[in-house]
Amino acid sequence: MTLAAFGAIHLDTLADAQRAILRDTSTPARLTTRPGGVAANVARALARLSPPCALAGAVGRDSDGDVLLASLRAEGIDVSTVHRSDHPTGRYLALHDPDGGLAAAVVDGAITDALRPGDIDIAHPALAEADLWFIEANLPQPVLGQIAAAAGHRLLAADAVSIAKAPRLAEVLDRLDILFCNRLEGAALLGQRHAGPAPAPEDALAIASALVALGVGACLVSDGPAPLALATAGACLSLAVAPVAVRDVTGAGDALIAGTLAARARGWDIGDAARAGLAAARVTVQAQGAAPVTLTWDAVLGESAAAASPTA
């Protein structure tokens, strides 16, 4: 099964501080720059776990765009359908405390917000031949609708991205085979579509079940270190999140998505696929940055086995 990801492509700058980050003063840190954006990070992780993978989105006609495309190609990602825009390439800046926690982050995603139907060539073979499409709520609603309508027989997965952007998926819920969100994003999405009393925002499993009732095939609702809620039309599961020593939280959610989709591409059922996603996230947070070189399918299998063992 081949895969394609649609959405944000950014140039990320990550600042790893040597001491706790404080307001109104500078902090010594090590800065690194690498590809980022939800869709780009998912595609990068998928390229490590389940090649081949194509990526569709937009970068500018600037040097940052050139650098990004060259870097993504070098990672084995097909970027032949990436739109070159007159807008500047998207940028993301994250400030990490010494414990790996995210102290603050800002993003300039205007280039993705400016995408319009037709900017992405959905008929291009790199996309048309993929069996599974992944979309994310950084994309404008008209583009999400266009992609969902064109998905046809393919598996269609989506990420809600943020509380502010999750409602963009409201009109395509009944076309989604898999939806990833955290509990606050799920509650925001339900606020757009739920006809009756909404589940309590702290109840991840009820949120997942309510989204399935609106037409989603399978819904995975994360809640930090709390269990991952998984609901389908026939079952509800609460999957424990095994503790791990965190080095960098960057890309953990993207790795959860990529691990789950890579397992589904191998024919795993959604429950086992979600466990693989959790394992991929654990591998990722123990390394530096999204899609680290340590993220391999063998590492996911090893982490899954360790988490399932009685002594884990």
Side-chain angles (χ1 to χ4, degrees):
M1 182 181 288
T2 56
L3 304 98
F6 300 74
I9 309 170
H10 298 156
L11 194 62
D12 284 5
T13 298
L14 309 178
D16 295 297
Q18 297 172 17
R19 61 185 67 182
I21 295 172
L22 302 175
R23 292 180 61 90
D24 303 320
T25 186
S26 62
T27 304
R30 181 172 60 87
L31 274 67
T32 55
T33 302
R34 63 193 67 191
V38 173
N41 281 342
V42 170
R44 294 174 66 219
L46 283 170
R48 297 193 182 282
L49 297 174
S50 183
C53 183
L55 175 63
V59 299
R61 304 179 192 275
D62 48 24
S63 60
D64 285 347
D66 295 337
V67 167
L68 268 176
L69 293 181
S71 179
L72 292 166
R73 282 193 202 96
E75 295 190 48
I77 299 167
D78 187 333
V79 293
S80 58
T81 64
V82 172
H83 176 65
R84 298 304 295 262
S85 170
D86 292 330
H87 291 266
T89 294
R91 297 294 301 266
Y92 172 81
L93 170 63
L95 307 179
H96 292 134
D97 282 323
D99 64 0
L102 183 65
V106 292
V107 61
D108 178 358
I111 188 170
T112 304
D113 290 333
L115 278 170
R116 296 292 178 263
D119 287 341
I120 296 173
D121 182 8
I122 291 178
H124 190 286
L127 304 178
E129 295 173 6
D131 305 294
L132 190 157
W133 282 359
F134 167 74
I135 58 177
E136 45 108 339
N138 279 306
L139 292 168
Q141 278 183 314
V143 178
L144 290 167
Q146 175 200 24
I147 297 169
H153 66 281
R154 300 174 186 84
L155 286 176
L156 184 64
D159 179 31
V161 174
S162 69
I163 296 170
K165 293 181 177 179
R168 295 181 181 184
L169 294 173
E171 299 306 316
V172 299
L173 287 179
D174 59 358
R175 180 55 192 86
L176 298 181
D177 297 291
I178 307 173
L179 172 63
F180 299 88
C181 60
N182 66 32
R183 62 180 180 81
L184 295 179
E185 293 160 359
L189 189 47
L190 283 173
Q192 297 293 305
R193 289 289 309 273
H194 205 266
E202 65 274 10
D203 192 339
L205 201 55
I207 289 169
S209 297
L211 287 164
V212 167
L214 290 176
V216 175
C219 185
L220 290 78
V221 179
S222 58
D223 187 15
L228 176 73
L230 168 61
T232 66
C236 292
L237 298 173
S238 187
L239 305 179
V241 177
V244 70
V246 176
R247 181 179 178 188
D248 182 359
V249 297
T250 303
D254 303 326
L256 168 67
I257 293 168
T260 303
L261 298 185
R264 287 292 291 123
R266 285 172 164 81
W268 292 26
D269 67 48
I270 189 62
D272 288 338
R275 293 181 181 91
L278 288 171
R282 289 195 297 274
V283 171
T284 297
V285 300
Q286 294 176 79
Q288 187 79 36
V293 295
T294 53
L295 183 60
T296 65
W297 188 246
D298 284 344
V300 169
L301 294 178
E303 189 67 42
S304 294
S309 69
T311 57

